Structure formats: structure tokens, C-alpha cells
Amino acid sequence: MSKRRVLWIGSFYLIAIVISLLWLFPLFIAGTTAFKSMNEIVQNIYWWNLPDEFTFQYFAEAWNQGGMSRYFLNSFIITVPSVVGALFLSALGGFALAKYRFKYNKLILGIFIAGNMIPFQMMMFPVFEISNVLGLYDTYLAVILFHVSFQMGFCIFFLRNFIRTIPTDLLDAARVDGSSEFRIFLQIVLPLTKPALAALGILEFTWIWNDYLWGLVLLASDNLRPVTVGLVSLQGEYLSKWNIISAGSLIAAAVPLIVFLVFQRYFIQGLMMGASK
Amino acid sequence: MNKRRWAPFKFLLIPVILYAIWVIAPIFYTIFLSFTQWDGLTAPTFIGIGNFVDLFNDPIFYTALFNNIKWLLVYVLVPLPLGLAFAMFFNRSLPGVKIFKTAIYLPLTLSFVVLSQIWTWIYQPKYGAINVTLEAIGLGNLTVAWLSNSDIVTYSLIVVGCWPQTAYTMVLFLAGLQNVPTEVMEAAKVDGANRWQRFWKVILPLLKPATIIAVAVTIIQSLRMFAIVNVMTRGGPFRSSEVLANYMYVEGFKNYSMGYASALAVILFLIILLFVSVYLYQIFKTEVEY
């Protein structure tokens, strides 16, 4: 390697390290604050000082007294069925739009795509009202139903494009063998769609977990709130207790963060496929 | 054969019904509501374009609209070029690059609520990291109450949004760069084009589809921003950081004027529609062809 190239690569790494550290500095602040006592925060104001001792006391307080444990569980109760429901129904709908020719195919696809582009605030009051009328207001189901429905816009578009790449010969072969159309979906299409479902599932999980508006609008009871809405009430409860609020923020961020770190490839693939296809 | 003809309709039945009830019908219902006076409890009364007339005489509406324009401009001017710069910078096959990319992507996985909480603390006037740092490096005269100074509060909020948005545009541009064939790059090198020329004359034109999508997504995100404003300032101080989406929420759920709030929704919808149609056109042109 030439001297010039070594120098060039060296400066790349140097710049990359500086950018990354600057970029993650807000997370560093949250990370250290969550371990500091309020005394320490107020007296030793320099954020670059590491905590005197690493105690999980403030995490515990946010988790127990702050109610984050309940909110955390609620987020799972809302997110998991929403993701599963949206993926299954979208695979079904995406299959129909990808592999069958019928009159309103493109129109239906267009409506799903367009609906997904609409600012979701546009649906805020009617969805609130519908939930009220159906007696679903202030239940998990209200939030789940909305997430499943709204996310289908993106998911159907995404899965339809993927399923279109599956060779139709495979389906026809199964038809000759006498399989029903639904069986073909379950036994051929669904298994072949796994990579797309993985990418989409990771993405949807993060989005639904991180949702704030619908938890806020469709739920009133504190004990049903997802972790995002819960974090805001934690802030109200522990006003200016930055260590507890930081700990609560990290608890709320933990699951999407871990999911992302483990499945980064799928997450990024999902974003790329969703955007460019 | 007959079975096969009906299969797609059976498969689409539940998705279409759910989508119609929870997404499509509400859009039209909101348009209807924008012509009514409605407290959310009694029946809505039709008042024609009354809400829109009120809206155009409402100073808070103009503040919110103007703030949304600030969000839009900064979003287009900062995260978009920065995301492109990051994508160009990190798009190379050296060992360890993946780790740097992971670091840049991280804010994308955080909820706006989490971002808001962390940044509220960073902006805290006395003990927050920014003012503490400014004091420490002798720039104490630059310290500001970032979230309670009505002249700068909106910009403070936009910075929070720029953080994940930059990561997002970086992903979009990296996706676009994957479609730039290496042969094209090599050919340009052989032709003696320097780095700068290669970027402007070869790469950027090939990134056009990615750029259009990134611009549209960035604009849409900037216009529908809700959570950061709602969590960090609730539109304050004195409504100075209000944006349309939060104003709508406050009018509807705090002041119970859902008709008026729906009129706000319609205005926001029309503004976004303008940009969405550009985006949809691009998608349909490139992908949906039989």
C-alpha cells in the first residue's frame, strides 16, 4: 500500500470516529445521567464526568414506582398482535394484488399506497369517534385495530412488490396438483416471502412500539398506556428528576434498540426496499 | 377456474374492509367535519366554510403554518445534504465501516418521545449539556434558554428532529448508491474525471430517483411533525413553537372544537397532498408496470 493510501485510510477512520462519537453524544448523556444522583447532577455539572458509582437504583425507581414496568408490558401487548396482524393480512392482500389479474387491481393498490401517505392526524377525530361508537375506546384493541389497518398501506405495497418476484410457475404447478388458492398462499407463497416478512416485521415492530399519537388519543387509563405515552407521564410525575427520566427513556428505548442491533440487516433492508421499490 | 377468479377478492376482503373503516372513511369524515361545528359529544352542526374563515383570521394558525415552513426549510437544507454526505462518506468497503453505519443509524430506532426527553435535558438552561459546555469553553455569553426563548425554540425542536431524519436520508441515499454500477464509476475514473466531477456529473444524476424520494419523505415528515412539539414544549412558550399537527390535537382534544381542528387537518392534508402526488408519481412511473 502506498504511503498516500495509508494516510488517506487513516484519516477516514479518524473522521469516522469523531463523527460517530459526536453523533451519539445525546445517548451518552442519557446513559450517564441515569446513573447519577440528583445531588451529583446539580453539584458536578460537567456531563463528561462519569457517575460516581454505577447504581441501578434510578432504573429501578422508574421501573417500579414510575410505572415503566406496566407501560413496558402494555407496549408488548399492543405491538406484537399489531405486527402479526398487519403482516398476515398484508401478505394475503399483497398476494392477491401481485398474482391475480382483475379489474380493480391497480386501483386498490393505489388506494393502499395513497392512504399510507396521508398524514395520520387526518384520521385522529374519526378514529377516536369510531372507537367510541364501537365501545373500543380505552382498550388495547382500539389501538391494535388502528395500527393493523393503517400499517397495511405500507405493508401491502411492500409485500406485493416482493411476491411479484415469485415465479408464477411454482403456483401453477401446485394448482395442477389440486391445491386450493389459500393452501398455495400458506404453503408456497408465505414461506418464500419470509425474507420480506422479516425485514418488514422488524421495521413495523419499531414503528408501532415507538408510536405516541394513537396511544395518546385512543387510551385514557394510565394502566393501558404504552411506553411512549407512559414516559411522558413519568416526566410529569418526576419533574426535573433527570436521572429517573433518563433511566425511563432508556427503558423505553431498550427494546427497539436491541431489536435493531440484532436485526440491523433486516431493518435497513426493509427501509431500503420500502423506499426504492 | 371459477374458484381462482374469486380467490383475490376473498383474500382482499378483510384488508379492504379494515382499511376502509379505519383509514379511508376517516379521511372523508374529517373533510365533512371541517364544515361543521362539533364538540365531539353532541351531533355536529353544519356551518359551511365558517371554520376556514375563522382559520384565516387566526394568528395561531399563521404561527403554526409559519413554523411548519421553518421545519420544512431546515429539514430540506440540513438532514438531506448531510444524509447524502454521510452516505457518500460511509459507502466504502473498509473493515469496520459497518460499526460506524450502525452508530449513525441508531437515532432512527428511538421514539420521538425518547428523543424529546433526552434533548429536553440536554437543553436544560442551567445543568443541561449544551449550556454547561458553552460555559466551560468560555462561550458563556452564547447560553440561551433553548426551549423557553420564543425566538429560537422552534429551531431547538427542529434540531431534535434532524437527528433521526439525517440517518433516514442516509439510508435512502445508500440504497440509491447500490444502484450505481461500479463499471460506471470505473469508466469515469479512466476518463480522468476527478472526485468532484464524478460526484456532480456521474453519481448525482444516477441518484435522482433516490433524491426525489428522499426530498418527498423529508418534506412530508417535516409537515406532519407532532410528537417532538407535543412532548417538549406543547407548542409553547405562548404558542410560539406551535405546528399544525399539534395545534389540531390541542383544538380537538383539549378545547373540544373538533370541527375547527378538522379544518386544520384539511389544510395540512392539502399541503402534504401536493408533495405526496410528486412522490406517488415517481413510484408509479418506476415500479407499477405490468
Side-chain angles (χ1 to χ4, degrees), chain B residues 1-224:
Chain B
M1 199 61 216
N2 210 20
K3 252 189 189 164
R4 193 170 153 193
R5 241 182 82 196
W6 289 108
F9 298 105
K10 273 194 263 173
F11 296 161
L12 278 167
L13 191 67
I14 299 173
V16 166
I17 289 176
L18 281 178
Y19 210 65
I21 296 177
W22 297 96
V23 181
I24 303 301
I27 294 168
F28 290 101
Y29 195 50
T30 297
I31 296 173
F32 162 74
L33 285 175
S34 71
F35 298 106
T36 69
Q37 200 162 31
W38 188 40
D39 58 7
L41 299 167
T42 54
T45 39
F46 189 77
I47 55 164
I49 57 163
N51 287 323
F52 293 93
V53 174
D54 289 350
L55 233 150
F56 289 107
N57 294 309
D58 175 0
I60 301 171
F61 167 68
Y62 288 105
T63 311
L65 185 65
F66 189 56
N67 281 335
N68 268 121
I69 295 172
K70 284 186 201 164
W71 274 87
L72 190 153
L73 288 177
V74 179
Y75 258 43
V76 171
L77 292 175
V78 182
L80 208 59
L82 196 58
L84 176 60
F86 279 178
M88 293 296 296
F89 184 72
F90 289 108
N91 186 38
R92 54 192 87 228
S93 43
L94 287 173
V97 171
K98 260 190 136 175
I99 298 170
F100 296 125
K101 280 187 190 164
T102 305
I104 307 288
Y105 292 152
L106 266 188
L108 256 185
T109 66
L110 304 177
S111 160
F112 282 125
V113 179
V114 170
L115 297 178
S116 299
Q117 301 295 9
I118 296 177
W119 280 87
T120 303
W121 166 223
I122 290 173
Y123 282 138
Q124 206 275 344
K126 201 162 167 208
Y127 306 108
I130 294 187
N131 280 355
V132 165
T133 310
L134 286 172
E135 291 280 0
I137 58 174
L139 294 173
N141 54 335
L142 290 182
T143 58
V144 188
W146 300 99
L147 295 178
S148 38
N149 179 327
S150 53
D151 292 328
I152 56 162
V153 57
T154 291
Y155 296 102
S156 306
L157 299 183
I158 298 173
V159 166
V160 181
C162 284
W163 194 33
Q165 191 63 27
T166 303
Y168 190 26
T169 51
M170 173 178 162
V171 173
L172 298 181
F173 283 120
L174 279 174
L177 284 172
Q178 283 182 350
N179 300 330
V180 177
T182 21
E183 303 90 67
V184 176
M185 295 292 293
E186 295 303 322
K189 262 185 206 171
V190 173
D191 288 345
N194 66 31
R195 240 170 242 293
W196 199 239
Q197 285 168 330
R198 275 204 308 258
F199 176 72
W200 285 105
K201 299 260 168 70
V202 183
I203 299 176
L204 212 53
L206 283 168
L207 280 180
K208 200 179 150 206
T211 309
I212 291 174
I213 290 166
V215 171
V217 170
T218 301
I219 289 173
I220 293 167
Q221 290 280 30
S222 70
L223 290 174
R224 68 178 178 196

Side-chain angles (χ1 to χ4, degrees), chain A residues 8 13 47 117 122 212 264, chain B residues 30 92 95 102 121 133 230 279:
Chain A
W8 191 88
Y13 280 109
W47 54 267
M117 302 278 149
M122 187 83 188
Y212 171 60
Q264 183 184 339
Chain B
T30 297
R92 54 192 87 228
T102 305
W121 166 223
T133 310
N230 183 272
Y279 179 58

Side-chain angles (χ1 to χ4, degrees), chain A residues 57-201:
Chain A
Q57 174 185 349
Y58 310 109
F59 283 95
E61 194 164 342
W63 184 257
N64 297 321
Q65 290 92 306
M68 287 306 280
S69 54
R70 179 73 231 176
Y71 303 139
F72 195 78
L73 184 68
N74 291 337
S75 276
F76 273 107
I77 297 176
I78 291 170
T79 308
V80 173
S82 300
V83 173
V84 174
L87 287 191
F88 181 77
L89 289 175
S90 304
L92 207 56
F95 174 49
L97 292 172
K99 288 293 177 194
Y100 298 91
R101 279 164 183 273
F102 54 95
K103 209 174 170 187
Y104 298 111
N105 187 315
K106 265 195 190 176
L107 178 74
I108 294 175
L109 177 66
I111 290 172
F112 276 115
I113 300 175
N116 172 55
M117 302 278 149
I118 305 276
F120 39 69
Q121 289 92 350
M122 187 83 188
M123 296 135 211
M124 199 153 66
F125 307 119
V127 167
F128 167 77
E129 183 64 9
I130 296 168
S131 307
N132 252 332
V133 170
L134 297 179
L136 294 174
Y137 177 70
D138 202 24
T139 64
Y140 294 124
L141 192 60
V143 189
I144 293 170
L145 269 175
F146 180 79
H147 281 315
V148 168
S149 309
F150 184 71
Q151 294 303 333
M152 273 191 321
F154 178 72
C155 295
I156 283 189
F157 167 54
F158 187 104
L159 291 173
R160 173 222 175 245
N161 284 338
F162 188 88
I163 293 171
R164 262 169 75 80
T165 63
I166 296 174
T168 311
D169 297 351
L170 277 177
L171 313 181
D172 286 337
R175 279 181 190 128
V176 171
D177 292 345
S179 293
S180 73
E181 298 297 309
F182 189 65
R183 249 181 102 107
I184 292 175
F185 169 72
L186 280 183
Q187 295 188 336
I188 300 174
V189 176
L190 220 45
L192 288 172
T193 313
K194 258 190 201 153
L197 288 173
L200 196 58

